[in-house]
Amino acid sequence: MHRTPLSRASRILLACAALAGLSACSGGSADQPDQALGSKSPARDQRAADALPGMPPVLDAKDVYSADRAGQLSDTVKDFPSRIYVPNTLSNTVTVLDPRTYKILDTIPVGRQPQHVVPSWDLKTLWVNNDLGNSLTPIDPRTGKAGKAVDVHDPYNLYFTPDGKYAIVMASKDRQLVFRDAHTMDKVKSVPVACSGVNHADFSTDGRYFVVSCEFSGELLKVDTAAMKVVAQQKLDFHGAMPQDVKLSPDGSRFYIADMAANGMWILDGKTFAKPAFLPTGKGAHGLYVSRDSREMYISNRGEGTISVYDFAQGKLTKKWRLPQGGSPDMGGVSVDGKVLWLSGRYNSEVYAIDTRTGRQLARVKVGNGPHGLAVYPQPGRYSLGHTGVFR
């Protein structure tokens, strides 16, 4: 039986108490004007000194997403055609859409049960995670053509260390985090985990550690990046918890973890790794996506066909958008200009385009069966940390 939900007032008090030192209930990145990308403050220099060796330093110490502003494409991707790549888990294909016309341009056959389309650290390749096919299919985003699949066991999801050295395979069924060479995908180290269903993650501002969600045992892991070692683990305080997507706050002070069973998101202090506070968002909370100005986060509630909007500065939900005719909004990303949120409709064989200013549905496109980890590409950012596009 699920735990009886706390009252709204109790939840707010709990969140404020748990995050008092993090200004969760007031202030935040939205209170500060954007600094020049080339500015050098003492805080920035200190973070650069403390960062994982080889990791490009954050451009703005107050905002880890400062390199992800609207239109800010790197030289590597600026000439790539803008496309939406949709892995269809039950059709074993990737549907390629034109985001301007909403038309299907191509359908690419891949391995068995493709789960996510993941941009590589160097932004040059899109990796299709063929989970049951035990392989990764590379797609060249310049041409849209698929290359020869690489043998990789149980690749449910894929991330990259901030220094660009390693890919990290979320081997869910194998109960492992597998560190591989970021380019060749040769295995470097397998890290067994004492939880079930490792699936999503995000890294601290300095890249020294990352937080992993364990979907089937309702747990969180804290992993030392350089040591490739689990250093902390905790069980979420909700019977039957199913944590999903993980996202770092712009100021780097906390992690947000969507929970499909608890119908909301956990708010975690990554440094202390103390028990997180909880904020209800909607049934089947699943994906987390930061706006181009780092002021809001979009939360897809797969079980009720809605998207909740969270304001970082206020530390609360400010809007809820409902898809007309319902749907199952899952994973996706934000357009280059920040004006459109693209999400897969997991149980409806469709993709949604949503106006981020009004919440209005712009398009609903039929694709293959079981669309999941949709990637909008290219996107702003200097390098990719993986998943459907976590850029710094």
Side-chain angles (χ1 to χ4, degrees):
M1 175 178 284
H2 287 312
R3 180 183 301 275
T4 301
L6 297 172
S7 69
R8 182 175 183 276
S10 297
R11 289 193 302 267
I12 292 173
L13 288 174
L14 175 60
C16 290
L19 300 166
L22 303 177
S23 300
C25 300
S26 65
S29 61
D31 295 335
Q32 303 293 335
D34 295 337
Q35 295 182 341
L37 295 181
S39 63
K40 290 186 178 181
S41 65
R44 180 184 183 276
D45 292 341
Q46 184 58 47
R47 287 203 180 190
D50 294 340
L52 180 73
M55 184 190 93
V58 295
L59 298 180
D60 183 342
K62 298 181 179 66
D63 185 359
V64 298
Y65 304 110
S66 55
D68 301 350
R69 293 290 180 260
Q72 198 165 295
L73 294 174
S74 76
D75 289 342
T76 301
V77 305
K78 66 181 181 180
D79 295 326
F80 291 177
S82 182
R83 299 288 184 262
I84 309 299
Y85 297 86
V86 190
N88 304 300
T89 59
L90 302 181
S91 297
N92 301 327
T93 60
V94 171
T95 300
V96 184
L97 302 174
D98 184 328
R100 292 175 292 273
T101 64
Y102 309 123
K103 300 296 185 182
I104 294 176
L105 300 176
D106 198 5
T107 301
I108 304 173
V110 292
R112 187 180 173 196
Q113 201 176 89
Q115 295 285 0
H116 303 91
V117 175
V118 179
S120 63
W121 186 91
D122 63 10
L123 310 177
K124 296 177 181 179
T125 305
L126 296 174
W127 290 104
V128 183
N129 302 168
N130 304 313
D131 190 18
L132 296 186
N134 295 315
S135 66
L136 299 175
T137 299
I139 295 177
D140 183 341
R142 185 182 299 277
T143 65
K145 302 301 182 182
K148 183 180 179 181
V150 178
D151 291 337
V152 170
H153 201 266
D154 192 20
Y156 177 80
N157 209 344
L158 184 67
Y159 289 85
F160 294 91
T161 56
D163 58 8
K165 291 178 65 175
Y166 304 112
I168 307 171
V169 173
M170 297 288 159
S172 181
K173 294 186 300 297
D174 291 344
R175 294 196 176 198
Q176 293 180 341
L177 303 176
V178 183
F179 288 76
R180 294 176 174 270
D181 182 283
H183 302 285
T184 66
M185 293 297 166
D186 290 339
K187 187 185 296 185
V188 176
K189 182 179 181 179
S190 295
V191 181
V193 296
C195 70
S196 178
V198 289
N199 57 16
H200 298 92
D202 201 358
F203 290 82
S204 61
T205 302
D206 60 12
R208 292 283 185 174
Y209 70 91
F210 56 100
V211 173
V212 178
S213 59
C214 300
E215 177 177 3
F216 301 123
S217 58
E219 295 175 272
L220 302 177
L221 307 177
K222 182 176 181 178
V223 184
D224 185 303
T225 307
M228 303 182 192
K229 179 181 179 181
V230 176
V231 294
Q233 182 169 345
Q234 67 164 288
K235 181 86 170 176
L236 290 168
D237 192 19
F238 184 91
H239 181 69
M242 296 184 73
Q244 306 292 315
D245 205 3
V246 181
K247 197 69 74 214
L248 183 67
S249 65
D251 65 4
S253 64
R254 68 211 75 134
F255 289 81
Y256 302 91
I257 303 100
D259 192 316
M260 189 166 63
N263 301 325
M265 65 180 182
W266 301 95
I267 305 173
L268 172 77
D269 182 326
K271 288 184 179 180
T272 66
F273 207 64
K275 285 190 177 299
F278 181 74
L279 178 68
T281 63
K283 186 177 180 181
H286 206 78
L288 305 173
Y289 307 96
V290 177
S291 64
R292 289 276 167 240
D293 59 9
S294 299
R295 288 178 167 83
E296 295 178 321
M297 182 164 63
Y298 313 115
I299 305 149
S300 60
N301 302 309
R302 193 171 76 182
E304 64 180 34
T306 68
I307 297 91
S308 296
V309 181
Y310 178 82
D311 186 289
F312 288 113
Q314 298 182 60
K316 67 178 184 180
L317 302 178
T318 56
K319 306 167 216 172
K320 180 176 276 193
W321 303 327
R322 188 170 298 277
L323 293 171
Q325 295 85 49
S328 50
D330 195 280
M331 293 291 176
V334 180
S335 63
V336 173
D337 60 12
K339 294 180 180 180
V340 182
L341 172 65
W342 287 87
L343 296 171
S344 59
R346 187 70 179 275
Y347 302 129
N348 299 81
S349 301
E350 58 195 10
V351 164
Y352 316 111
I354 302 151
D355 189 312
T356 57
R357 294 161 294 184
T358 65
R360 183 172 66 91
Q361 178 181 288
L362 301 172
R364 182 182 288 233
V365 184
K366 281 294 180 182
V367 292
N369 293 326
H372 191 198
L374 172 160
V376 177
Y377 208 71
Q379 287 191 47
R382 300 169 298 163
Y383 59 95
S384 164
L385 293 179
H387 190 34
T388 59
V390 180
F391 299 95
R392 298 281 197 267

